[in-house]
Amino acid sequence: MRVRKYTKRITILLSILAIFACCCRSTKQEDLTLLEVQELHIDKEDNEFCLYENISLENTNVEDRYIFFRLYEPYYRNPFCVENILKSCIMSIDVNPTAASHSAIGFDLNDCFYGLTTAGKKDLKPESCTDTLSNGYMKKCDKYKSVQITYAIKVTEAEYEKAKKLVQDFFDNPKTKYSVLQNFAIAGYGLKRAMFTSPDKKQFAQIPNKRPEDTFAQDRYDFVCSTFIAYVLANSVDSVKQFFIEKGIDSNYVLPSDLEHIPGAIRLFKSTWVDYNIAAKTYCSVYSVLTPFYKEYLATE
């Protein structure tokens, strides 16, 4: 009788895991080799490759600087891994149209951004879309099927350097940790947005949080990927800081897809992970007339 009872529990648990795995969104691109992916075929209707037109970039001056971040829609090799279950949960409560369950921040367009995950010796570590084996979290993903979208935020030289130093300080500090428990708080907040909030107030910053002052606390070391980026931007970029204060936003509750709704965020290009470098170079080439400054952020071979 007891064995049957435990067997039933295990069956129910496996069923729940299967549902989560099947619910996650994923791209339908077939596996490609690096030799087969020689160039991007730009198509506005393409679900995997896209360069976004940005008229606002025409007002860019040579003294302007840019902070970049990437939103990821990972495709995990193991559908039953914890990360895939977390991804499914995020997707189920996320009210934003952009599919994203992970994010990372960078200071140029080279394939080396900084993301916060539990896999590996350090929680905050470099992430490469093309060299996934160099990162414990990234190597769990299929780089041929996983998708990323790159964004930029225009800042001053002082704001750029402040954000860069802040990330470096967190990277060097062993206290910097990925907060597993924060996922539960975010889940509760996301559920409230998705199910118990009127449609006109579901978007980012429409629901003020109780402790927006946490965003500017100086003794913060525990984050998840998106709350870390929100914290860095709010504590280094004046326009983002004012936005968080005005809207009463606590960075502890920022989802990855919320980041694209931060004022000033510009969507640049979308690609599969394996094609990130090709996409970045293609973007710089196509928009070289409007944005010659981007070449400063991209290493050339």
Side-chain angles (χ1 to χ4, degrees):
M1 181 68 69
R2 184 172 297 177
V3 173
R4 183 178 300 176
K5 180 179 180 181
Y6 287 125
T7 302
K8 184 177 181 180
R9 289 181 180 178
I10 294 174
T11 302
I12 294 174
L13 178 60
L14 291 176
S15 299
I16 293 173
L17 293 176
I19 291 173
F20 273 128
C22 292
C23 287
C24 69
R25 300 183 217 174
S26 62
T27 60
K28 296 181 179 180
Q29 182 185 8
E30 295 180 356
D31 285 357
L32 299 174
T33 65
L34 284 172
L35 293 177
E36 291 174 327
V37 185
Q38 295 293 335
E39 62 181 6
L40 295 179
H41 301 284
I42 307 303
D43 186 342
K44 290 185 177 181
E45 300 301 323
D46 198 315
N47 292 324
E48 294 153 356
F49 301 123
C50 187
L51 304 185
Y52 301 99
E53 297 181 16
N54 295 293
I55 299 177
S56 61
L57 295 180
E58 295 178 354
N59 299 321
T60 297
N61 299 314
V62 291
E63 64 269 17
D64 292 327
R65 301 290 283 173
Y66 282 82
I67 298 172
F68 303 92
F69 66 88
R70 298 194 295 212
L71 297 186
Y72 300 107
E73 185 184 2
Y75 185 97
Y76 298 98
R77 293 190 176 90
N78 178 7
F80 297 103
C81 67
V82 174
E83 291 83 359
N84 200 28
I85 295 174
L86 178 59
K87 169 187 171 181
S88 300
C89 292
I90 292 175
M91 298 297 187
S92 65
I93 63 173
D94 196 349
V95 298
N96 297 313
T98 299
S101 62
H102 185 49
S103 55
I105 188 171
F107 298 92
D108 55 44
L109 286 174
N110 296 302
D111 189 18
C112 182
F113 282 53
Y114 289 88
L116 202 63
T117 59
T118 56
K121 295 181 180 180
K122 295 182 65 174
D123 287 355
L124 179 61
K125 46 193 168 291
E127 294 181 353
S128 170
C129 286
T130 55
D131 182 17
T132 54
L133 296 180
S134 62
N135 180 289
Y137 167 79
M138 302 293 275
K139 70 180 181 181
K140 295 183 179 182
C141 308
D142 187 332
K143 63 183 178 181
Y144 299 100
K145 296 180 180 181
S146 298
V147 174
Q148 69 79 37
I149 304 179
T150 299
Y151 299 77
I153 295 181
K154 184 164 67 175
V155 298
T156 65
E157 178 73 26
E159 292 171 334
Y160 177 87
E161 293 298 333
K162 187 175 182 179
K164 192 173 183 179
K165 183 180 184 303
L166 193 55
V167 171
Q168 186 64 48
D169 289 344
F170 276 115
F171 180 77
D172 295 334
N173 195 327
K175 292 183 179 180
T176 305
K177 297 295 181 182
Y178 181 93
S179 176
V180 176
L181 293 178
Q182 187 57 32
N183 286 311
F184 294 97
I186 293 176
Y189 174 70
L191 189 63
K192 177 182 177 182
R193 288 173 65 184
M195 301 185 65
F196 305 105
T197 306
S198 60
D200 60 325
K201 293 184 178 181
K202 284 186 177 182
Q203 291 186 347
F204 180 50
Q206 291 297 312
I207 309 177
N209 288 287
K210 296 180 180 180
R211 300 183 301 167
E213 64 273 10
D214 280 4
T215 299
F216 307 102
Q218 298 300 310
D219 57 347
R220 288 279 309 281
Y221 299 103
D222 295 340
F223 306 91
V224 296
C225 62
S226 53
T227 67
F228 174 73
I229 295 176
Y231 179 88
V232 169
L233 293 176
N235 284 277
S236 58
V237 182
D238 288 342
S239 61
V240 178
K241 178 179 180 179
Q242 293 305 316
F243 175 71
F244 274 55
I245 293 176
E246 177 186 347
K247 299 296 184 180
I249 299 172
D250 181 350
S251 61
N252 283 307
Y253 299 92
V254 175
L255 288 169
S257 60
D258 286 331
L259 294 171
E260 73 170 354
H261 298 288
I262 289 178
I266 306 170
R267 184 182 287 192
L268 302 182
F269 56 87
K270 177 181 180 181
S271 73
T272 53
W273 286 11
V274 73
D275 288 325
Y276 173 80
N277 287 326
I278 301 175
K281 291 179 181 180
T282 303
Y283 186 89
C284 291
S285 174
V286 171
Y287 289 99
S288 60
V289 176
L290 293 177
T291 59
F293 58 92
Y294 274 121
K295 291 186 177 180
E296 298 178 9
Y297 297 97
L298 187 65
T300 56
E301 296 179 355

